[in-house]
Amino acid sequence: QTQLFGVLLAAASNFLISVSLNIQKCAHLRLALRAEPKPCYRSKLWCWGIALLGLAELGNFTAYALAPIALVAPLGCVSVLGSAFISVFFLKKTMRTADILGGTLTITGIYLLVTFAPNVPQELTARQVQNYLVSWPFLVYSILEILIFCILLYFYKRKAVKHIMVLLMMVALLASLTVIAVKAVASMIALSVTGKMQLTYSVFSVMSVLMATSCAFQIKFLNQAMHLYEATVVVPINFVFFTTSAIISGVIFYREFQSAALLSVFMFLFGCLLSFLGVIIIAKNKKEEHLQIPFIDCGHIPGQKLTGKIQPDSHCSCYGTLNKEDDLVKRQS
């Protein structure tokens, strides 16, 4: 029952994230259409979106204490699925055939994930976390992960390689540490709330620092990827990398599939594959939306007193006016 509640909480939280993001985007679109734009934080709609996002992330944090990492992490596809369908109502987008097909695959994958996920006790004490930290599988995994991350960071810093795979692989490596720390911290807080104090152990502080640090650098590299590449490319690749790294870290650190049957493991991985395909299909060929400014008022250009409008010319980098003083404007600009 505890694991089922964690699953429902994670699914609801990820759906709430999609609602939040669409509300924020709707707020930005409304602000852009105003005659006198104001900062987004002064919009009540945007503030509601941020509040929902915070509530959703708190729910996700709690879900890690109640359910296995291998089950909570893949449920991030609910956010992508929810965003595809909610945007039809919030942003008046058109429902595509790809959205329906991708949604069907994603829902099927979620069903297989929940059905064949590992059923292991989720009560983690500070001493158990300490034992996991010094276990040889995790030590070997940590050394390999640090080595790979240092190689990628060398190419990123020294060779200025900003390829999307390099950026998102670094995000995934950091994410594996983040989910390990999040589950440990959330579990120790949950036990402390029930009366079994765990917050006085030094491992709680260590995992809290690891959680905050890895999360901060993860956001840094993810923002870099979002800046250089379109969201339609970043979102599916990041979801696949993040989910894969989270499942591997859960298997190695928390030994979540230690006693699972071979058929259950196969069906779980098949569910992951279906959810990956669903997210990729939903994001594929999805056009990026940009706010378009139909004209630039000449009254806002210093030194100009023209009453016409300047239109961007699609065939060159200069602007073309809608009046007879076109040549004058071009010469002065």
Side-chain angles (χ1 to χ4, degrees):
Q1 290 181 350
T2 302
Q3 183 166 313
L4 178 61
F5 179 71
V7 170
L8 295 176
L9 183 61
S13 298
N14 282 292
F15 181 77
L16 199 59
I17 287 175
S18 63
V19 175
S20 165
L21 294 178
N22 279 279
I23 288 177
Q24 291 178 60
K25 188 168 185 177
C26 184
H28 283 296
L29 291 173
R30 287 185 179 183
L31 290 173
L33 295 175
R34 291 173 61 93
E36 297 181 359
K38 62 180 181 179
C40 58
Y41 56 82
R42 295 180 60 185
S43 168
K44 291 183 179 179
L45 188 62
W46 184 85
C47 291
W48 274 109
I50 291 296
L52 287 177
L53 182 62
L55 182 62
E57 293 297 349
L58 180 60
N60 259 332
F61 179 80
T62 307
Y64 276 104
L66 304 174
I69 291 175
L71 185 52
V72 176
L75 288 176
C77 62
V78 175
S79 177
V80 180
L81 177 63
S83 183
F85 288 92
I86 293 173
S87 61
V88 175
F89 303 98
F90 272 98
L91 306 175
K92 307 302 180 183
K93 292 184 179 179
T94 304
M95 179 68 68
R96 306 175 305 156
T97 306
D99 294 332
I100 299 174
L101 175 61
T104 303
L105 290 174
T106 304
I107 293 172
T108 306
I110 291 173
Y111 173 77
L112 293 176
L113 287 172
V114 174
T115 304
F116 295 97
N119 189 8
V120 293
Q122 296 304 309
E123 186 176 284
L124 286 171
T125 64
R127 292 190 181 278
Q128 285 178 306
V129 175
Q130 287 176 346
N131 293 333
Y132 289 149
L133 279 173
V134 296
S135 63
W136 69 265
F138 178 68
L139 292 177
V140 173
Y141 174 73
S142 300
I143 293 171
L144 289 175
E145 186 173 88
I146 292 171
L147 182 62
I148 295 172
F149 184 81
C150 289
I151 293 173
L152 293 173
L153 190 62
Y154 170 78
F155 283 103
Y156 173 76
K157 288 288 188 181
R158 297 295 183 181
K159 302 297 184 180
V161 177
K162 301 290 194 301
H163 195 273
I164 187 171
M165 292 297 180
V166 173
L167 291 169
L168 295 184
M169 280 185 69
M170 289 194 291
V171 171
L173 292 172
L174 291 168
S176 65
L177 297 178
T178 302
V179 295
I180 288 173
V182 165
K183 184 170 182 62
V185 172
S187 299
M188 285 188 276
I189 290 177
L191 278 178
S192 300
V193 170
T194 59
K196 302 175 183 178
M197 179 54 64
Q198 305 290 316
L199 307 186
T200 56
Y201 288 87
S202 58
V203 70
F204 176 78
S205 301
V206 171
M207 299 306 277
S208 298
V209 172
L210 177 62
M211 178 181 67
T213 305
S214 60
C215 188
F217 282 101
Q218 182 183 338
I219 293 172
K220 176 186 182 317
F221 291 119
L222 185 57
N223 283 337
Q224 180 75 26
M226 292 293 288
H227 177 70
L228 295 175
Y229 302 94
E230 291 186 353
T232 53
V233 178
V234 175
V235 169
I237 297 177
N238 182 59
F239 172 70
V240 173
F241 282 9
F242 167 80
T243 303
T244 304
S245 66
I247 292 174
I248 293 173
S249 63
V251 170
I252 293 176
F253 191 85
Y254 293 110
R255 306 166 190 175
E256 292 181 344
F257 283 92
Q258 190 172 17
S259 58
L262 183 60
L263 179 62
S264 296
V265 175
F266 174 79
M267 294 303 294
F268 177 84
L269 294 177
F270 184 62
C272 288
L273 178 61
L274 289 180
S275 64
F276 291 165
L277 289 175
V279 170
I280 292 171
I281 290 173
I282 290 174
K284 186 179 179 181
N285 297 328
K286 199 170 187 178
K287 295 181 180 179
E288 283 283 299
E289 291 190 357
H290 303 281
L291 297 179
Q292 295 183 354
I293 302 175
F295 60 83
I296 303 173
D297 195 338
C298 286
H300 292 166
I301 301 178
Q304 297 292 335
K305 296 183 179 179
L306 302 177
T307 58
K309 310 297 182 184
I310 295 181
Q311 287 280 13
D313 190 347
S314 60
H315 301 290
C316 66
S317 59
C318 61
Y319 290 98
T321 59
L322 301 180
N323 52 38
K324 296 181 180 180
E325 298 179 273
D326 178 48
D327 293 334
L328 175 63
V329 174
K330 287 184 178 178
R331 287 197 298 269
Q332 291 183 352
S333 60

